[in-house]
PDB file of all heavy atoms in Angstrom:
ATOM      1  N   MET A   1      24.787 -21.411   8.505  1.00 94.00           N
ATOM      2  CA  MET A   1      25.042 -20.844   9.852  1.00 94.00           C
ATOM      3  C   MET A   1      25.379 -19.359   9.720  1.00 94.00           C
ATOM      4  O   MET A   1      26.500 -19.001   9.424  1.00 94.00           O
ATOM      5  CB  MET A   1      26.214 -21.596  10.507  1.00 94.00           C
ATOM      6  CG  MET A   1      25.792 -22.903  11.185  1.00 94.00           C
ATOM      7  SD  MET A   1      24.422 -22.776  12.362  1.00 94.00           S
ATOM      8  CE  MET A   1      25.099 -21.581  13.515  1.00 94.00           C
ATOM      9  N   ALA A   2      24.380 -18.478   9.868  1.00 92.00           N
ATOM     10  CA  ALA A   2      24.538 -17.111   9.595  1.00 92.00           C
ATOM     11  C   ALA A   2      25.175 -16.289  10.678  1.00 92.00           C
ATOM     12  O   ALA A   2      25.983 -15.335  10.444  1.00 92.00           O
ATOM     13  CB  ALA A   2      23.196 -16.521   9.203  1.00 92.00           C
ATOM     14  N   HIS A   3      24.858 -16.657  11.969  1.00 92.00           N
ATOM     15  CA  HIS A   3      25.348 -15.861  13.144  1.00 92.00           C
ATOM     16  C   HIS A   3      25.551 -16.803  14.264  1.00 92.00           C
ATOM     17  O   HIS A   3      25.026 -17.866  14.313  1.00 92.00           O
ATOM     18  CB  HIS A   3      24.344 -14.800  13.505  1.00 92.00           C
ATOM     19  CG  HIS A   3      24.094 -13.741  12.458  1.00 92.00           C
ATOM     20  ND1 HIS A   3      24.851 -12.633  12.338  1.00 92.00           N
ATOM     21  CD2 HIS A   3      23.203 -13.712  11.447  1.00 92.00           C
ATOM     22  CE1 HIS A   3      24.359 -11.855  11.295  1.00 92.00           C
ATOM     23  NE2 HIS A   3      23.436 -12.535  10.752  1.00 92.00           N
ATOM     24  N   ASP A   4      26.370 -16.340  15.261  1.00 90.00           N
ATOM     25  CA  ASP A   4      26.532 -17.049  16.535  1.00 90.00           C
ATOM     26  C   ASP A   4      25.349 -16.778  17.380  1.00 90.00           C
ATOM     27  O   ASP A   4      24.957 -17.665  18.285  1.00 90.00           O
ATOM     28  CB  ASP A   4      27.805 -16.656  17.246  1.00 90.00           C
ATOM     29  CG  ASP A   4      29.063 -17.029  16.441  1.00 90.00           C
ATOM     30  OD1 ASP A   4      29.005 -18.038  15.714  1.00 90.00           O
ATOM     31  OD2 ASP A   4      30.063 -16.280  16.541  1.00 90.00           O
ATOM     32  N   SER A   5      24.688 -15.598  17.291  1.00 90.00           N
ATOM     33  CA  SER A   5      23.523 -15.271  18.164  1.00 90.00           C
ATOM     34  C   SER A   5      22.290 -15.581  17.409  1.00 90.00           C
ATOM     35  O   SER A   5      22.255 -15.897  16.241  1.00 90.00           O
ATOM     36  CB  SER A   5      23.654 -13.768  18.529  1.00 90.00           C
ATOM     37  OG  SER A   5      24.959 -13.429  19.084  1.00 90.00           O
ATOM     38  N   ARG A   6      21.230 -15.278  18.106  1.00 91.00           N
ATOM     39  CA  ARG A   6      19.853 -15.566  17.566  1.00 91.00           C
ATOM     40  C   ARG A   6      19.512 -14.621  16.439  1.00 91.00           C
ATOM     41  O   ARG A   6      19.808 -13.433  16.523  1.00 91.00           O
ATOM     42  CB  ARG A   6      18.885 -15.431  18.717  1.00 91.00           C
ATOM     43  CG  ARG A   6      17.325 -15.587  18.394  1.00 91.00           C
ATOM     44  CD  ARG A   6      16.507 -15.592  19.670  1.00 91.00           C
ATOM     45  NE  ARG A   6      16.899 -14.435  20.455  1.00 91.00           N
ATOM     46  CZ  ARG A   6      16.266 -13.247  20.355  1.00 91.00           C
ATOM     47  NH1 ARG A   6      15.337 -13.072  19.398  1.00 91.00           N
ATOM     48  NH2 ARG A   6      16.599 -12.194  21.086  1.00 91.00           N
ATOM     49  N   ILE A   7      18.857 -15.117  15.415  1.00 92.00           N
ATOM     50  CA  ILE A   7      18.404 -14.324  14.309  1.00 92.00           C
ATOM     51  C   ILE A   7      17.294 -13.492  14.661  1.00 92.00           C
ATOM     52  O   ILE A   7      16.306 -14.018  15.249  1.00 92.00           O
ATOM     53  CB  ILE A   7      18.066 -15.175  13.050  1.00 92.00           C
ATOM     54  CG1 ILE A   7      19.229 -16.157  12.673  1.00 92.00           C
ATOM     55  CG2 ILE A   7      17.644 -14.353  11.852  1.00 92.00           C
ATOM     56  CD1 ILE A   7      20.446 -15.476  12.091  1.00 92.00           C
ATOM     57  N   VAL A   8      17.259 -12.200  14.304  1.00 93.00           N
ATOM     58  CA  VAL A   8      16.157 -11.312  14.730  1.00 93.00           C
ATOM     59  C   VAL A   8      15.517 -10.675  13.509  1.00 93.00           C
ATOM     60  O   VAL A   8      14.445 -10.090  13.638  1.00 93.00           O
ATOM     61  CB  VAL A   8      16.587 -10.237  15.706  1.00 93.00           C
ATOM     62  CG1 VAL A   8      17.064 -10.826  17.023  1.00 93.00           C
ATOM     63  CG2 VAL A   8      17.682  -9.337  15.147  1.00 93.00           C
ATOM     64  N   CYS A   9      16.138 -10.674  12.302  1.00 93.00           N
ATOM     65  CA  CYS A   9      15.658 -10.025  11.167  1.00 93.00           C
ATOM     66  C   CYS A   9      16.152 -10.675   9.905  1.00 93.00           C
ATOM     67  O   CYS A   9      17.251 -11.059   9.863  1.00 93.00           O
ATOM     68  CB  CYS A   9      15.954  -8.508  11.187  1.00 93.00           C
ATOM     69  SG  CYS A   9      14.844  -7.484  10.266  1.00 93.00           S
ATOM     70  N   LEU A  10      15.256 -10.782   8.859  1.00 93.00           N
ATOM     71  CA  LEU A  10      15.560 -11.397   7.641  1.00 93.00           C
ATOM     72  C   LEU A  10      15.008 -10.521   6.492  1.00 93.00           C
ATOM     73  O   LEU A  10      14.045  -9.768   6.657  1.00 93.00           O
ATOM     74  CB  LEU A  10      14.921 -12.748   7.472  1.00 93.00           C
ATOM     75  CG  LEU A  10      15.243 -13.892   8.426  1.00 93.00           C
ATOM     76  CD1 LEU A  10      14.304 -15.069   8.070  1.00 93.00           C
ATOM     77  CD2 LEU A  10      16.678 -14.324   8.248  1.00 93.00           C
ATOM     78  N   ALA A  11      15.716 -10.557   5.347  1.00 94.00           N
ATOM     79  CA  ALA A  11      15.223  -9.938   4.122  1.00 94.00           C
ATOM     80  C   ALA A  11      15.690 -10.727   2.925  1.00 94.00           C
ATOM     81  O   ALA A  11      16.745 -11.363   2.936  1.00 94.00           O
ATOM     82  CB  ALA A  11      15.692  -8.498   3.925  1.00 94.00           C
ATOM     83  N   LEU A  12      14.771 -10.825   1.881  1.00 94.00           N
ATOM     84  CA  LEU A  12      14.998 -11.611   0.756  1.00 94.00           C
ATOM     85  C   LEU A  12      14.695 -10.811  -0.478  1.00 94.00           C
ATOM     86  O   LEU A  12      13.750  -9.980  -0.480  1.00 94.00           O
ATOM     87  CB  LEU A  12      14.100 -12.882   0.786  1.00 94.00           C
ATOM     88  CG  LEU A  12      14.362 -14.025  -0.206  1.00 94.00           C
ATOM     89  CD1 LEU A  12      15.726 -14.664   0.133  1.00 94.00           C
ATOM     90  CD2 LEU A  12      13.249 -15.027  -0.079  1.00 94.00           C
ATOM     91  N   THR A  13      15.545 -10.943  -1.477  1.00 92.00           N
ATOM     92  CA  THR A  13      15.231 -10.188  -2.760  1.00 92.00           C
ATOM     93  C   THR A  13      13.977 -10.866  -3.336  1.00 92.00           C
ATOM     94  O   THR A  13      13.629 -11.969  -3.072  1.00 92.00           O
ATOM     95  CB  THR A  13      16.394 -10.287  -3.707  1.00 92.00           C
ATOM     96  OG1 THR A  13      16.822 -11.595  -3.887  1.00 92.00           O
ATOM     97  CG2 THR A  13      17.595  -9.439  -3.228  1.00 92.00           C
ATOM     98  N   HIS A  14      13.372 -10.071  -4.302  1.00 90.00           N
ATOM     99  CA  HIS A  14      12.126 -10.571  -4.911  1.00 90.00           C
ATOM    100  C   HIS A  14      12.302 -11.832  -5.602  1.00 90.00           C
ATOM    101  O   HIS A  14      11.390 -12.775  -5.564  1.00 90.00           O
ATOM    102  CB  HIS A  14      11.567  -9.506  -5.900  1.00 90.00           C
ATOM    103  CG  HIS A  14      10.920  -8.336  -5.240  1.00 90.00           C
ATOM    104  ND1 HIS A  14       9.736  -8.439  -4.524  1.00 90.00           N
ATOM    105  CD2 HIS A  14      11.254  -7.034  -5.223  1.00 90.00           C
ATOM    106  CE1 HIS A  14       9.440  -7.255  -4.035  1.00 90.00           C
ATOM    107  NE2 HIS A  14      10.331  -6.387  -4.437  1.00 90.00           N
ATOM    108  N   ASP A  15      13.497 -12.111  -6.165  1.00 90.00           N
ATOM    109  CA  ASP A  15      13.745 -13.325  -6.946  1.00 90.00           C
ATOM    110  C   ASP A  15      14.309 -14.405  -5.984  1.00 90.00           C
ATOM    111  O   ASP A  15      14.473 -15.563  -6.474  1.00 90.00           O
ATOM    112  CB  ASP A  15      14.694 -13.145  -8.117  1.00 90.00           C
ATOM    113  CG  ASP A  15      16.024 -12.520  -7.700  1.00 90.00           C
ATOM    114  OD1 ASP A  15      16.337 -12.424  -6.459  1.00 90.00           O
ATOM    115  OD2 ASP A  15      16.752 -12.168  -8.615  1.00 90.00           O
ATOM    116  N   GLY A  16      14.578 -14.098  -4.760  1.00 92.00           N
ATOM    117  CA  GLY A  16      15.038 -15.071  -3.815  1.00 92.00           C
ATOM    118  C   GLY A  16      16.489 -15.467  -3.913  1.00 92.00           C
ATOM    119  O   GLY A  16      16.933 -16.386  -3.219  1.00 92.00           O
ATOM    120  N   ARG A  17      17.261 -14.678  -4.637  1.00 92.00           N
ATOM    121  CA  ARG A  17      18.725 -15.016  -4.800  1.00 92.00           C
ATOM    122  C   ARG A  17      19.592 -14.576  -3.691  1.00 92.00           C
ATOM    123  O   ARG A  17      20.588 -15.139  -3.354  1.00 92.00           O
ATOM    124  CB  ARG A  17      19.247 -14.392  -6.131  1.00 92.00           C
ATOM    125  CG  ARG A  17      18.660 -14.972  -7.400  1.00 92.00           C
ATOM    126  CD  ARG A  17      19.217 -14.279  -8.591  1.00 92.00           C
ATOM    127  NE  ARG A  17      19.076 -12.799  -8.505  1.00 92.00           N
ATOM    128  CZ  ARG A  17      20.075 -11.957  -8.420  1.00 92.00           C
ATOM    129  NH1 ARG A  17      21.363 -12.413  -8.400  1.00 92.00           N
ATOM    130  NH2 ARG A  17      19.945 -10.671  -8.351  1.00 92.00           N
ATOM    131  N   LEU A  18      19.207 -13.434  -3.033  1.00 93.00           N
ATOM    132  CA  LEU A  18      19.943 -12.854  -1.965  1.00 93.00           C
ATOM    133  C   LEU A  18      19.188 -12.788  -0.670  1.00 93.00           C
ATOM    134  O   LEU A  18      18.030 -12.535  -0.684  1.00 93.00           O
ATOM    135  CB  LEU A  18      20.438 -11.409  -2.330  1.00 93.00           C
ATOM    136  CG  LEU A  18      21.344 -11.248  -3.587  1.00 93.00           C
ATOM    137  CD1 LEU A  18      21.622  -9.807  -3.760  1.00 93.00           C
ATOM    138  CD2 LEU A  18      22.563 -12.068  -3.508  1.00 93.00           C
ATOM    139  N   LEU A  19      19.935 -13.082   0.404  1.00 95.00           N
ATOM    140  CA  LEU A  19      19.341 -13.072   1.735  1.00 95.00           C
ATOM    141  C   LEU A  19      20.214 -12.162   2.603  1.00 95.00           C
ATOM    142  O   LEU A  19      21.467 -12.248   2.633  1.00 95.00           O
ATOM    143  CB  LEU A  19      19.341 -14.500   2.371  1.00 95.00           C
ATOM    144  CG  LEU A  19      19.181 -14.732   3.862  1.00 95.00           C
ATOM    145  CD1 LEU A  19      17.726 -14.311   4.203  1.00 95.00           C
ATOM    146  CD2 LEU A  19      19.535 -16.095   4.220  1.00 95.00           C
ATOM    147  N   ALA A  20      19.536 -11.291   3.420  1.00 94.00           N
ATOM    148  CA  ALA A  20      20.237 -10.496   4.388  1.00 94.00           C
ATOM    149  C   ALA A  20      19.726 -10.952   5.795  1.00 94.00           C
ATOM    150  O   ALA A  20      18.542 -11.173   5.978  1.00 94.00           O
ATOM    151  CB  ALA A  20      19.938  -8.982   4.172  1.00 94.00           C
ATOM    152  N   THR A  21      20.653 -10.977   6.691  1.00 94.00           N
ATOM    153  CA  THR A  21      20.320 -11.484   8.069  1.00 94.00           C
ATOM    154  C   THR A  21      21.000 -10.529   9.114  1.00 94.00           C
ATOM    155  O   THR A  21      22.079  -9.981   8.909  1.00 94.00           O
ATOM    156  CB  THR A  21      20.799 -12.867   8.318  1.00 94.00           C
ATOM    157  OG1 THR A  21      22.274 -12.887   8.239  1.00 94.00           O
ATOM    158  CG2 THR A  21      20.330 -13.843   7.300  1.00 94.00           C
ATOM    159  N   ALA A  22      20.282 -10.434  10.300  1.00 91.00           N
ATOM    160  CA  ALA A  22      20.860  -9.664  11.368  1.00 91.00           C
ATOM    161  C   ALA A  22      20.563 -10.531  12.621  1.00 91.00           C
ATOM    162  O   ALA A  22      19.496 -11.180  12.789  1.00 91.00           O
ATOM    163  CB  ALA A  22      20.250  -8.288  11.535  1.00 91.00           C
ATOM    164  N   SER A  23      21.498 -10.442  13.604  1.00 88.00           N
ATOM    165  CA  SER A  23      21.364 -11.215  14.832  1.00 88.00           C
ATOM    166  C   SER A  23      21.015 -10.227  15.949  1.00 88.00           C
ATOM    167  O   SER A  23      20.896  -9.058  15.855  1.00 88.00           O
ATOM    168  CB  SER A  23      22.670 -11.940  15.197  1.00 88.00           C
ATOM    169  OG  SER A  23      23.654 -11.008  15.670  1.00 88.00           O
ATOM    170  N   SER A  24      20.881 -10.854  17.166  1.00 86.00           N
ATOM    171  CA  SER A  24      20.424 -10.095  18.368  1.00 86.00           C
ATOM    172  C   SER A  24      21.524  -9.089  18.793  1.00 86.00           C
ATOM    173  O   SER A  24      21.226  -8.158  19.604  1.00 86.00           O
ATOM    174  CB  SER A  24      20.101 -11.059  19.523  1.00 86.00           C
ATOM    175  OG  SER A  24      21.277 -11.878  19.790  1.00 86.00           O
TER     176      SER A  24
END
């Protein structure tokens, strides 16, 4: 559960270990 609002953007490191998220 990353955010209370809708997810609008994602990014993943090349190895898939880290995830960045932004909401509306």
Side-chain angles (χ1 to χ4, degrees):
M1 279 307 303
H3 298 270
D4 294 330
S5 306
R6 180 173 48 87
I7 305 291
V8 297
C9 204
L10 300 173
L12 194 63
T13 52
H14 284 296
D15 59 7
R17 294 179 305 115
L18 299 179
L19 164 69
T21 65
S23 76
S24 56

